[in-house]
Amino acid sequence: MGTKLNIQLVRSMVGKPEKQRKVLRALGLTRMHKMVTLDANPAIQGMITKVAHMVKVEEV
């Protein structure tokens, strides 16, 4: 079992490029302040890097 990450959407998707919106939806972030818990693997970490300016990440 790897480490888990709590990811919370803190900036709105409005006015952002469609590519970033798709990344947020793929992470399961559909609304402001929604928090999801995901495994920390290279795919998830790459997605977080693309939208780092819009999310808050904490290790669990």
Side-chain angles (χ1 to χ4, degrees):
M1 199 82 168
T3 60
K4 297 266 188 181
L5 298 173
N6 276 341
I7 308 162
Q8 182 177 16
L9 182 60
V10 294
R11 298 279 309 235
S12 176
M13 288 189 266
V14 175
K16 300 295 189 263
E18 187 63 27
K19 203 170 193 178
Q20 290 178 1
R21 292 181 194 192
K22 287 181 180 180
V23 169
L24 291 169
R25 286 190 207 112
L27 287 170
L29 298 170
T30 55
R31 288 177 272 129
M32 287 285 296
H33 306 293
K34 183 170 182 178
M35 184 176 285
V36 294
T37 303
L38 300 172
D39 289 325
N41 61 46
I44 298 297
Q45 290 174 344
M47 294 166 81
I48 291 169
T49 301
K50 294 293 184 184
V51 293
H53 58 287
M54 299 172 66
V55 296
K56 181 172 75 172
V57 182
E58 299 172 348
E59 270 191 46
V60 177

